[in-house]
Amino acid sequence: MSERSNQDWLSELADPAAPEALADLRMLLLRGLRAALSNKIDEDLETVTEDFAQDALLKILDNLDSFRGESRFTTWAQKIAINVAFSELRRRRWKDISLQSIIETPDGDEFTPALLTDPGNSPERTISQFDIMGIVEELVTDELTERQRTAMLAMLNSDIPLAEVARQLDTNPNALYKLMHDARQRLKVRLEERTGLSALEVMELFEEPVPENR
Amino acid sequence: MAGIQPQKLKELVRRVMTTRQSEMDCQGCYDQLDQFVELRLDGKEVSQAMPLVQNHLDRCGGCCEEYEALLEALQSLDGEAA
């Protein structure tokens, strides 16, 4: 593979793109995608990565102007290819799963103190964790908007990515990130007020206890 | 609404209490991911050099997944280079 500088890539790919540069870039993207996706997809890796590489190429060509030269061109291009691939894989994986179905936990465990007891916890420690968790659960119900609660619980109960939740809520990822950040900040402030504890103190309470005998 | 499972509540407490006033969102992280990855591949102390990106990757599963995939993709190409 020829060693092109960033400038070489930009000039050779500028409209009309030179066929050799396109072919070389496609090959790079394909190899990268295959390595990254080899244990992530069941179907034919070859075909799937060909499609992703092609979509990525189009996106790269469309966005050459936005390359700021802060990294190697090939790194930047590979980033786009990975993003194209994962966005599509996520869309396929989650498109038929509603947020509501994720939120409704299958066995609807009751929140009881017994479930919180970890071996090795001292009684005071367990009760304090219990209190805090009860307060957090109340705050989620009382302090958040419906939208914030839905998104937060969906992402808590599954590994649905934020971008997918945004799509289902008809918003964009940045707006949803801000909504979630505001929600977390609100909960944090309220929790500090209700418990009289700082964030650090709360986190210390939840640290795993060191086992006596190893 | 159904109650939250205890293990999830613990996770929620962690997510809430590690919230920072100023956080980078997914777009910000994505924009700098290529820089971040290259520093990492060069063996630099990237979590100190680009702490906002690191912090976002620590809290965002989607972005972290892409970061790891990008790393894998680039490492495999490095391995292939003559």
Side-chain angles (χ1 to χ4, degrees):
Chain A
M1 183 109 354
S2 55
E3 288 294 324
R4 288 182 179 83
S5 69
N6 285 353
Q7 202 43 59
D8 291 339
W9 280 112
L10 287 175
S11 36
E12 289 178 48
L13 290 173
D15 193 23
E20 199 178 305
L22 268 179
D24 286 350
L25 186 57
R26 178 184 277 111
M27 185 52 62
L28 268 173
L29 298 181
L30 268 173
R31 286 192 196 157
L33 285 171
R34 273 173 202 153
L37 298 178
S38 61
N39 45 6
K40 285 188 174 56
I41 44 187
D42 297 327
E43 12 163 359
D44 179 22
L45 188 68
E46 295 280 321
T47 316
V48 167
T49 52
E50 294 270 354
D51 289 343
F52 288 154
Q54 185 56 30
D55 289 343
L57 263 176
L58 293 175
K59 193 159 185 185
I60 289 161
L61 291 175
D62 264 347
N63 288 287
L64 287 177
D65 286 343
S66 68
F67 176 60
R68 293 190 304 268
E70 288 163 350
S71 63
R72 282 188 286 278
F73 178 82
T74 49
T75 305
W76 178 82
Q78 196 70 250
K79 178 183 77 170
I80 292 174
I82 295 288
N83 179 250
V84 161
F86 275 81
S87 299
E88 178 55 21
L89 288 172
R90 280 173 199 140
R91 195 195 62 82
R92 289 181 200 177
R93 181 177 163 200
W94 295 98
K95 70 179 164 67
D96 294 325
I97 300 173
S98 75
L99 296 179
Q100 218 42 53
S101 67
I102 297 170
I103 289 165
E104 275 140 29
T105 55
D107 29 33
D109 282 355
E110 281 297 311
F111 169 40
T112 66
L115 290 168
L116 297 177
T117 307
D118 293 321
N121 263 353
S122 71
E124 299 88 28
R125 195 186 166 106
T126 305
I127 289 166
S128 292
Q129 285 186 3
F130 168 68
D131 286 339
I132 289 170
M133 286 159 67
I135 293 168
V136 166
E137 197 168 32
E138 270 178 48
L139 291 174
V140 166
T141 309
D142 298 340
E143 294 285 336
L144 302 185
T145 66
E146 183 73 39
R147 207 165 159 79
Q148 283 173 323
R149 190 163 45 248
T150 301
M152 185 168 274
L153 293 179
M155 288 190 283
L156 192 64
N157 285 347
S158 74
D159 56 355
I160 187 169
L162 183 135
E164 258 312 298
V165 178
R167 198 181 59 78
Q168 291 202 27
L169 289 177
D170 238 337
T171 184
N172 69 72
N174 289 337
L176 185 61
Y177 192 92
K178 179 157 198 329
L179 196 71
M180 289 293 94
H181 184 227
D182 287 347
R184 284 185 280 117
Q185 282 189 302
R186 189 181 190 82
L187 291 177
K188 184 180 178 196
V189 165
R190 291 281 178 269
L191 191 62
E192 284 171 336
E193 283 171 4
R194 289 275 296 268
T195 61
L197 298 171
S198 69
L200 189 60
E201 285 168 330
V202 172
M203 287 312 293
E204 280 171 358
L205 266 174
F206 278 85
E207 264 165 28
E208 295 301 298
V210 177
E212 296 276 18
N213 304 305
R214 281 214 149 248
Chain B
M1 184 155 293
I4 307 170
Q5 293 178 359
Q7 277 309 118
K8 301 294 182 183
L9 264 179
K10 281 191 179 184
E11 174 57 23
L12 182 57
V13 169
R14 190 190 67 79
R15 288 185 190 182
V16 164
M17 298 321 269
T18 56
T19 297
R20 296 183 186 187
Q21 193 74 15
S22 174
E23 289 180 2
M24 180 177 268
D25 64 12
C26 300
Q27 185 63 50
C29 179
Y30 179 72
D31 282 348
Q32 295 194 29
L33 200 63
D34 45 330
Q35 256 185 284
F36 188 86
V37 150
E38 280 192 351
L39 282 176
R40 170 77 157 72
L41 286 171
D42 286 344
K44 303 287 201 300
E45 273 300 317
V46 67
S47 55
Q48 291 179 29
M50 301 180 76
L52 286 175
V53 174
Q54 182 65 64
N55 182 253
H56 183 88
L57 293 175
D58 288 343
R59 73 172 64 253
C60 183
C63 291
C64 188
E65 191 181 33
E66 282 188 39
Y67 159 67
E68 286 172 354
L70 181 56
L71 205 57
E72 240 186 284
L74 295 172
Q75 281 169 333
S76 85
L77 289 172
D78 274 349
E80 283 182 25

